């Protein structure tokens, strides 16, 4: 409403000057300003009455420091010619924090034109948002600002905006690392419910393949029922369980950006080298250790989504001791701890303390042999 008050004050100044100098032209200018302000007020009240703004096409994930397009859909219940509209969004970190405000303008898409759809019109608005810290963020609409056809007057509309919110996760950056896997790690079997689809093993509960009988095969591996149907001896090849030889323990706490980047890079490189592993952290919600198995790209992003949305647990226990207590009966070859700094530790031996300012260079120069 500040623009309306400014217009009325300017019109009053015109009337005052016109009365001093007895100039009808200046008085006419004041009348035009008053009429224009009241026409704009009526027009904006009419536009606000049928306006409704909702979220549209919100991305679930975005990369750290990479701009992503946010879109909002504005709908009108009445036909008409509408002016420019802007929508303000509030982006807040999950678990609290100060909200960041972002304006979206309808001029970014279709130059602010209204697309007629039946009795109502729709307009899509867009804007770009970039977030520097990984984690979970809550995005909600705060208010809409509508303008008249001249663009001189505007009005804020809070009731026209739905209070629904959407959750968006910012993933940390992934840097390449030099990791070499030994034959002990590659051939690790262990106990697991996941089996290797390429290598045979000694687990009789899971069958990998059936093949014709060869010299040296044991009689107990013959599949007698299928051999009778096929009129030849068929041997059952047992499968090998894919155990996890490596566990990545991630400390959660304040300012976790560099730790998340380091843990995400380490887990991605292990997954890329086909090394199944666990990613574990201490949850502040459950006050217990949480563990996720990573075998492929899908399970990697599922674990990463849970990790980046984890809030600080406050008093951080010794995550290595807690892991040994909870999973004491499971075999494990290597335990890699991503600590503060950040730092990397393999089996209580610190191998590298990294610099946050040169994290990409130091991770790229790292040679880790497992």
């Amino acid at each position: 409403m500040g623009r309306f008050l400014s217009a009325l004050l300017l019109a009053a100044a015109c009337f005052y000057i016109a009365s001093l100098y007895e100039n009808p032209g200046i008085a006419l200018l004041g009348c035009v300003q008053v009429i224009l302000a009241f026409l704009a007020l009526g027009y904006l009240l009419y536009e606000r009455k049928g306006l409704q703004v909702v979220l549209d096409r919100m991305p679930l994930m975005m990369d750290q420091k990479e701009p992503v397009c946010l879109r909002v859909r504005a709908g009108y219940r009445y036909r008409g010619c509408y002016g420019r509209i802007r929508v303000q969004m509030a982006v807040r970190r999950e678990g609290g924090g100060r909200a960041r405000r972002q304006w979206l303008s309808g001029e970014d898409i279709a130059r602010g034109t209204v697309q007629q759809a039946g009795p109502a019109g729709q307009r899509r608005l867009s804007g770009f948002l970039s977030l520097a810290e990984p984690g979970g963020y809550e995005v909600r609409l705060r208010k809409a600002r509508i303008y008249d056809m001249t663009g001189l007057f505007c009005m804020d509309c809070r009731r026209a905006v739905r209070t629904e919110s959407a959750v968006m996760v910012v993933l940390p950056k992934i840097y390449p690392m030099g990791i070499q896997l030994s034959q002990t790690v590659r051939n690790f079997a262990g106990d697991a419910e996941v089996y290797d689809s390429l290598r045979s093993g000694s687990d009789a509960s899971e069958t990998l393949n059936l093949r014709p009988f060869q010299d040296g095969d044991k009689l107990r591996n013959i599949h007698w029922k299928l051999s009778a149907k096929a009129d030849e001896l068929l041997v059952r090849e047992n499968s090998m369980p894919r155990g996890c030889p490596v566990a990545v323990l991630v400390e959660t706490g304040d300012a976790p950006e560099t730790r998340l980047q380091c843990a995400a890079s380490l887990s991605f490189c292990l997954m890329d080298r086909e090394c199944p592993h666990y990613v574990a952290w201490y949850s502040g919600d459950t006050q217990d250790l949480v563990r996720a198995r990573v075998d492929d790209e899908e399970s990697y992003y599922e674990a990463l989504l849970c990790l980046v949305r984890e809030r600080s647990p406050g008093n951080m226990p010794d995550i290595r001791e807690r892991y040994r207590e909870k999973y004491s009966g499971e075999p494990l070859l290597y335990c890699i701890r991503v600590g503060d700094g950040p730092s990397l530790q393999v089996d209580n031996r610190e191998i590298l303390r990294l610099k946050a300012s040169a994290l990409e260079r130091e991770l790229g120069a790292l040679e880790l042999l497992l």
Side-chain angles (χ1 to χ4, degrees), residues 1 11 73 79 92 105 151 169 172 182 216 222 255 264 323 334:
M1 301 298 291
R73 185 175 70 255
R79 290 183 177 272
R92 186 188 302 271
S105 176
V169 179
S182 62
I222 297 177
Y323 187 89
Y334 293 97

Side-chain angles (χ1 to χ4, degrees), residues 103-168:
W103 283 101
L104 306 183
S105 176
E107 294 182 345
D108 295 333
I109 288 185
R111 297 187 181 276
T113 58
V114 178
Q115 302 173 357
Q116 296 294 341
Q122 287 189 355
R123 179 183 300 172
R124 282 182 169 84
L125 301 84
S126 70
F128 290 93
L129 175 67
S130 177
L131 298 174
E133 295 184 2
Y137 290 85
E138 179 185 5
V139 181
R140 65 177 181 86
L141 300 178
R142 187 173 180 269
K143 65 179 179 180
R145 179 172 295 176
I146 55 178
Y147 293 80
D148 67 336
M149 299 301 299
T150 64
L152 298 176
F153 300 96
C154 63
M155 180 180 296
D156 291 341
C157 309
R158 295 183 181 271
R159 295 183 179 180
V161 175
R162 286 189 181 180
T163 57
E164 61 182 3
S165 60
V167 176
M168 185 170 54

Side-chain angles (χ1 to χ4, degrees), residues 25-276:
I26 299 180
L28 181 60
L29 179 61
C31 293
V32 171
Q33 292 177 355
V34 173
I35 295 174
L36 182 61
F38 278 100
L39 287 177
L41 179 61
Y43 167 82
L44 293 178
L45 291 176
Y46 169 78
E47 182 179 358
R48 185 178 66 173
K49 185 178 180 181
L51 178 65
Q52 189 176 40
V53 182
V54 296
L55 293 173
D56 183 38
R57 298 183 183 180
M58 292 296 299
L60 298 178
M61 296 182 297
M62 61 179 294
D63 294 328
Q64 183 182 1
K65 297 181 181 179
E66 294 293 333
V68 64
C69 182
L70 304 181
R71 295 190 177 185
V72 173
R73 185 175 70 255
Y76 300 91
R77 289 183 295 177
Y78 312 113
R79 290 183 177 272
C81 187
Y82 298 100
R84 189 163 61 99
I85 180 174
R86 300 180 69 196
V87 177
Q88 190 181 69
M89 305 182 71
V91 182
R92 186 188 302 271
R93 189 74 176 266
E94 282 187 320
R98 185 176 181 181
R100 172 182 173 180
R101 299 173 183 177
Q102 176 81 15
W103 283 101
L104 306 183
S105 176
E107 294 182 345
D108 295 333
I109 288 185
R111 297 187 181 276
T113 58
V114 178
Q115 302 173 357
Q116 296 294 341
Q122 287 189 355
R123 179 183 300 172
R124 282 182 169 84
L125 301 84
S126 70
F128 290 93
L129 175 67
S130 177
L131 298 174
E133 295 184 2
Y137 290 85
E138 179 185 5
V139 181
R140 65 177 181 86
L141 300 178
R142 187 173 180 269
K143 65 179 179 180
R145 179 172 295 176
I146 55 178
Y147 293 80
D148 67 336
M149 299 301 299
T150 64
L152 298 176
F153 300 96
C154 63
M155 180 180 296
D156 291 341
C157 309
R158 295 183 181 271
R159 295 183 179 180
V161 175
R162 286 189 181 180
T163 57
E164 61 182 3
S165 60
V167 176
M168 185 170 54
V169 179
V170 180
L171 301 180
K173 283 189 174 182
I174 301 174
Y175 302 119
M177 296 179 60
I179 299 179
Q180 300 295 330
L181 301 180
S182 62
Q183 291 298 325
T184 305
V185 174
R186 293 184 181 276
N187 299 326
F188 181 79
D191 296 328
E193 297 180 356
V194 180
Y195 293 88
D196 199 321
S197 60
L198 300 177
R199 295 180 299 171
S200 60
S202 59
D203 192 340
S205 62
E206 189 75 13
T207 300
L208 174 65
N209 190 20
L210 292 173
R211 60 173 176 82
F213 181 84
Q214 299 176 359
D215 294 338
D217 290 338
K218 298 180 180 179
L219 294 179
R220 67 168 179 264
N221 294 332
I222 297 177
H223 200 298
W224 295 105
K225 291 184 179 180
L226 293 181
S227 297
K229 294 181 181 180
D231 293 333
E232 64 173 337
L233 293 179
L234 298 178
V235 177
R236 179 194 298 110
E237 286 189 354
N238 299 323
S239 183
M240 175 184 291
R242 295 191 64 186
C244 291
V246 180
V248 179
L249 309 182
V250 185
E251 292 184 351
T252 55
D254 298 331
E257 178 181 353
T258 53
R259 285 196 301 271
L260 287 176
Q261 292 176 350
C262 188
S265 303
L266 177 60
S267 179
F268 184 85
C269 292
L270 289 173
M271 181 269 298
D272 187 57
R273 285 158 178 75
E274 299 181 355
C275 176

Side-chain angles (χ1 to χ4, degrees), residues 247-311:
V248 179
L249 309 182
V250 185
E251 292 184 351
T252 55
D254 298 331
E257 178 181 353
T258 53
R259 285 196 301 271
L260 287 176
Q261 292 176 350
C262 188
S265 303
L266 177 60
S267 179
F268 184 85
C269 292
L270 289 173
M271 181 269 298
D272 187 57
R273 285 158 178 75
E274 299 181 355
C275 176
H277 59 280
Y278 292 115
V279 178
W281 64 90
Y282 191 80
S283 174
D285 296 327
T286 62
Q287 295 297 314
D288 195 10
L289 194 70
V290 177
R291 187 178 73 170
R293 180 186 172 106
V294 177
D295 290 282
D296 49 19
E297 191 171 351
E298 181 180 359
S299 58
Y300 167 77
Y301 281 106
E302 289 179 358
L304 189 59
L305 286 176
C306 297
L307 178 59
V308 298
R309 297 183 63 182
E310 193 62 60
R311 64 183 182 88

Side-chain angles (χ1 to χ4, degrees), residues 323-344:
Y323 187 89
R324 290 178 177 176
E325 293 176 1
K326 189 171 183 178
Y327 305 103
S328 57
E330 296 185 2
L332 193 68
L333 295 182
Y334 293 97
C335 184
I336 305 177
R337 179 177 179 178
V338 182
D340 195 10
S343 62
L344 289 178

